[in-house]
Amino acid sequence: MKTIVALPGDGIGKIVLPEAIRLLDAAGFKANYVYADIGWDFWCNEGNPLPKRTIDLIKEHKIALFGAITSKPNSDAQKELLPELQNKGLVYFSPIVALRQIFNLDICIRPCVSFKGNPLNFIRKNIDGTYDEPLINTVVFRQNTEGLYAGVEWTNPPKVVRDALETHPRMNYFKNIPSEEIAISTRIITKKASEKIIRAAFEYAKKYKYKNVTLCEKPNVLRETSGMMLKIAKDISKDYPEISLWDTNIDAQMMWLTKNPEDYGVIVAENMFGDIISDAFAGLVGGLGFACSANLGDEVAVFEPTHGSAPKYAELNPSIVNPIAMFLSAVMMLEHLGENEIANKIKNAIAKVVEEGNVRTYDMLKLKGGKSVLENGACTTEQMTNEIISKL
Ligand code: NAI
Ligand code: MG
């Protein structure tokens, strides 16, 4: 039997993750779950939001389901440490970013797929006053470890860095500005990681019969990094004659996002552009209550909703948050494990509940969150899970 490392984390992560396990059990997925420690409590009490025992468990079992964590600015992080841990030079870091680095989870997959009947679906007005509700089926492949989010950055860069940069003619523009007044974030990408994410995108398109793969970058301006990705995409696309390679600029793609989103199949991009474009597409299919993701490395895979710990709602009892993003992340885990039958069973049950519309969380009713949503027709988190289970 498969063992899954369950990482609830903080806030609503502690609510939606156990609900996902309840649904997986009900759907007939046989697994052991080992709960592991991650998040704010472990920072406050141990000075480490990602204890080594958790890393060891993930190393051993290779598959993790993750809820969400809370991150706070460093000054708050220091204040909330146990008194005996303060002033020891401990520095808070995001445990999910650390997991991606430790296990080289370099491929992030974020499907953005509309459910029929979801009141949050994007609609488009036609010239004759009628409306279209195009069903979107886009899957974003985001390079998860490099690029602008790799963390190679400085405020007041050291002299060696400044000197190295001065060898570039374009640094002339900054020449009279003192280093103390300069901040630098680099965008480093490698051929190897770019080839890996682009090939993964094409393989996925082939497996699930998407007709196009779009590289969403900015090669006309970011000539070196985006330019390298475009060249690699063109080379790799030759191995997939049945799939068209499109390329769009991130800015234009955002502007045209609502024009024809239903035309895009698989989209592939660097870390930050992938972050942006996947949030944009997620907004067209229901937003944070529906946005799921997978972080894949060569050995380890971590599945998580893209929302955070939503502290505003963490203490509400009963809970009102939408567990579907977490459930869809669990579905991605099942597909990764080859459990397609159970995955489809859960997906179909979710689709049925959304389409029938009898049971909806507050976000699906476009209500402002709070206790009162339950009097205004919204269901609780638990009721949503129960309804989905009843449709399995
Ligand atoms: P958030 O995603 O936690 O919440 C933003 C808002 O989205 C919430 O106030 C709520 O209105 C809505 N929302 C989120 N999840 C929902 C759900 N399942 N159902 C219904 N509504 C939902 O982002 P926020 O408020 O910016 O960050 C809160 C904390 O979470 C911070 O400490 C942040 O650092 C952390 N965070 C963690 C992430 C992760 O664990 N991967 C990702 C994003 C934020
Ligand atoms: Mg984001």
Side-chain angles (χ1 to χ4, degrees):
M1 197 158 37
K2 195 78 211 158
T3 297
I4 311 289
V5 181
L7 306 164
D10 300 307
I12 66 166
K14 290 184 185 155
I15 295 162
V16 293
L17 186 118
E19 289 294 275
I21 293 176
R22 193 154 75 83
L23 173 63
L24 287 163
D25 282 344
F29 177 58
K30 300 261 179 291
N32 291 319
Y33 297 92
V34 286
Y35 278 83
D37 300 334
I38 190 169
W40 198 250
D41 291 345
F42 303 96
W43 162 254
C44 297
N45 298 323
E46 300 177 23
N48 183 357
L50 180 62
K52 182 175 176 295
R53 58 187 181 275
T54 300
I55 298 172
D56 290 343
L57 277 173
I58 299 172
K59 211 175 269 170
E60 181 181 348
H61 299 296
K62 315 251 184 305
I63 303 279
L65 254 187
F66 169 64
I69 48 90
T70 296
S71 287
K72 296 185 190 178
N74 200 36
S75 55
D76 293 348
Q78 293 304 324
K79 273 186 252 156
E80 292 187 35
L81 271 177
L82 280 185
E84 58 265 39
L85 293 173
Q86 289 185 8
N87 305 315
K88 294 219 157 120
L90 294 169
V91 181
Y92 179 80
F93 57 91
S94 160
I96 181 67
V97 174
L99 275 183
R100 289 174 190 153
Q101 286 164 349
I102 293 167
F103 294 110
N104 192 28
L105 305 175
D106 56 346
I107 293 179
C108 175
I109 310 179
R110 291 180 62 175
C112 302
V113 181
S114 321
F115 285 101
K116 221 168 142 186
N118 186 347
L120 302 176
N121 280 348
F122 163 67
I123 54 167
R124 184 172 52 210
K125 194 173 185 180
N126 297 313
I127 200 87
D128 61 3
T130 59
Y131 290 90
D132 286 336
E133 187 177 323
L135 291 180
I136 292 152
N137 182 357
T138 297
V139 182
V140 177
F141 275 64
R142 160 184 171 192
Q143 208 296 326
N144 220 12
T145 48
E146 303 191 339
L148 255 170
Y149 292 175
V152 183
E153 50 182 12
W154 301 266
T155 303
N156 188 7
K159 185 169 181 304
V160 282
V161 172
R162 178 88 197 233
D163 289 346
L165 289 170
E166 297 291 351
T167 64
H168 196 289
R170 289 292 179 91
M171 270 306 278
N172 211 21
Y173 177 80
F174 303 101
K175 98 173 161 252
N176 296 320
I177 301 173
S179 287
E180 311 81 79
E181 293 178 24
I182 292 182
I184 299 171
S185 300
T186 63
R187 190 180 204 251
I188 302 175
I189 68 162
T190 66
K191 186 161 178 271
K192 191 171 165 203
S194 302
E195 282 172 352
K196 194 168 162 202
I197 187 91
I198 293 168
R199 179 141 330 255
F202 272 98
E203 280 298 314
Y204 188 95
K206 184 173 162 185
K207 182 169 173 196
Y208 293 102
K209 304 203 173 359
Y210 287 92
K211 296 194 179 67
N212 54 67
V213 170
T214 301
L215 181 80
C216 181
E217 282 286 320
K218 184 83 181 175
N220 56 336
V221 176
L222 299 172
R223 290 175 177 276
E224 305 306 328
T225 48
S226 293
M228 181 162 100
M229 288 184 81
L230 181 58
K231 185 179 174 303
I232 291 169
K234 284 181 175 163
D235 287 345
I236 288 179
S237 75
K238 291 181 192 139
D239 297 339
Y240 303 86
E242 72 286 10
I243 300 167
S244 313
L245 172 67
W246 296 351
D247 74 281
T248 55
N249 285 341
I250 177 76
D251 51 341
Q253 176 89 61
M254 295 302 290
M255 186 170 70
W256 295 118
L257 181 70
T258 52
K259 188 174 171 241
N260 60 339
E262 69 273 34
D263 291 348
Y264 293 92
V266 175
I267 296 184
V268 57
E270 167 264 3
N271 211 338
M272 182 174 86
F273 289 174
D275 191 16
I276 293 172
I277 200 66
S278 58
D279 269 13
F281 269 87
L284 304 178
V285 303
L288 288 175
F290 289 84
C292 58
S293 75
N295 301 283
L296 308 181
D298 289 332
E299 293 190 356
V300 167
V302 179
F303 301 85
E304 55 160 334
T306 61
H307 62 69
S309 59
K312 272 195 291 190
Y313 306 133
E315 304 300 328
L316 275 187
N317 188 9
S319 171
I320 59 164
V321 295
N322 188 347
I324 291 179
M326 182 80 239
F327 296 168
L328 293 171
S329 307
V331 165
M332 294 185 83
M333 177 187 79
L334 291 172
E335 287 169 345
H336 180 80
L337 294 172
E339 297 279 359
N340 293 318
E341 203 177 306
I342 304 175
N344 287 334
K345 197 154 98 176
I346 295 178
K347 253 198 293 199
N348 292 338
I350 295 172
K352 217 177 266 173
V353 171
V354 174
E355 191 169 8
E356 283 182 4
N358 299 323
V359 175
R360 283 174 170 163
T361 45
Y362 80 94
D363 53 321
M364 298 171 76
L365 292 172
K366 308 191 187 191
L367 295 171
K368 193 170 152 26
K371 236 190 165 79
S372 64
V373 300
L374 299 176
E375 289 134 45
N376 294 315
C379 69
T380 65
T381 306
E382 195 184 341
Q383 284 167 338
M384 177 53 90
T385 315
N386 293 344
E387 183 72 3
I388 293 168
I389 289 174
S390 79
K391 305 288 183 198
L392 284 170

